[in-house]
Amino acid sequence: MPGDSSLPEKRPDGKRFDGGSPHPELRASHADRDRVVDVLRVGAGDGRLTAVELDERVEAALAARTLSELTALTADLPPVSASGGAVLGEVKDVLRIDQRFSPVERAGRWAVPRRLELATEFCEVTLDFTQAVITQDTLRIDMEMHGKNLTLITAPGIVVDADALNLAFSKVRIHHPPNPDTPVTLRVELTGKKTFGRVVVRRPRRSPGQWLLRKPRHL
């Protein structure tokens, strides 16, 4: 109807509807919204969006009615597949690592699963989250780890919760306690059992150049 205000004024190509157009703007589906939210989370994990921008855009994505509204939310972000090689299709619900007597490392642009099962014996395990592709706000690590150390390399906004972890002849050492003023972008929950060795949570080590450029302490 000519006076129907529920019809959008423009098509996805930016042209106005002429009232008699048989092709109204396409509506977004739940799957469309979920894909955009995933791209936004990856962008925030890359440092392209602040925590406030992420919250605002996710809220707008979940409330979006049309595809053009969703497109606008990611117009200034690169496609996920072009941002470093990892794609959303590689993100697993559960990743199981079952290994003996050899080191385990996940670093660079690896896709963080929604849950990680870690079953190792005398393996040094390193999980570096500083460049990882993170598409959710919580990662649960179910551990059955005997011997050696688990090292988690984090960044601001990544919080590690080890309260539910059962320790036997082992201990947890967190070098950088979370700053209450920093929004949490990923919460890593450790559960299961760690026997012998340590769980170490730390930031990336400084390069020689960063040590030279660090600010001197005031006496």
Side-chain angles (χ1 to χ4, degrees), residues 2 12 21 31 37-38 42 45 56 62 65-66 69 73 99 105-106 109 123 125 134 138 150 156 175 186 191 194 198:
S21 171
V37 169
D38 283 340
V42 172
E56 291 176 347
L62 296 177
R65 294 186 301 171
T66 64
E69 292 175 19
L73 296 173
Q99 198 152 314
E105 183 178 19
R106 293 292 186 273
R109 295 196 56 80
C123 297
V125 180
I134 301 170
T138 303
L150 168 64
H175 289 269
L186 176 67
T191 65
K194 175 72 177 78
R198 296 180 298 169

Side-chain angles (χ1 to χ4, degrees), residues 32-131:
D32 294 326
R33 297 183 187 94
D34 290 342
R35 280 192 292 269
V36 169
V37 169
D38 283 340
V39 173
L40 293 172
R41 291 194 184 282
V42 172
D46 290 341
R48 301 179 191 276
L49 297 176
T50 65
V52 173
E53 290 173 325
L54 175 62
D55 289 342
E56 291 176 347
R57 295 196 189 193
V58 167
E59 184 178 354
L62 296 177
R65 294 186 301 171
T66 64
L67 292 180
S68 64
E69 292 175 19
L70 291 176
T71 300
L73 296 173
T74 58
D76 57 349
L77 298 175
V80 172
S81 60
S83 63
V87 296
L88 291 177
E90 296 173 349
V91 178
K92 298 181 179 180
D93 287 331
V94 180
L95 172 63
R96 180 173 177 82
I97 298 176
D98 194 337
Q99 198 152 314
R100 307 289 183 271
F101 309 111
S102 58
V104 175
E105 183 178 19
R106 293 292 186 273
R109 295 196 56 80
W110 63 289
V112 177
R114 293 171 176 83
R115 184 162 64 90
L116 175 62
E117 295 180 353
L118 193 59
T120 64
E121 290 186 19
F122 299 102
C123 297
E124 198 77 26
V125 180
T126 302
L127 303 177
D128 187 342
F129 294 95
T130 54
Q131 298 182 45

Side-chain angles (χ1 to χ4, degrees), residues 214-219:
R214 74 186 191 280
K215 295 182 180 180
R217 294 182 179 179
H218 296 287
L219 301 178

Side-chain angles (χ1 to χ4, degrees), residues 8-23:
E9 294 182 355
K10 295 184 179 180
R11 302 191 315 222
D13 59 6
K15 296 180 180 180
R16 296 179 63 87
F17 286 108
D18 57 6
S21 171
H23 302 295

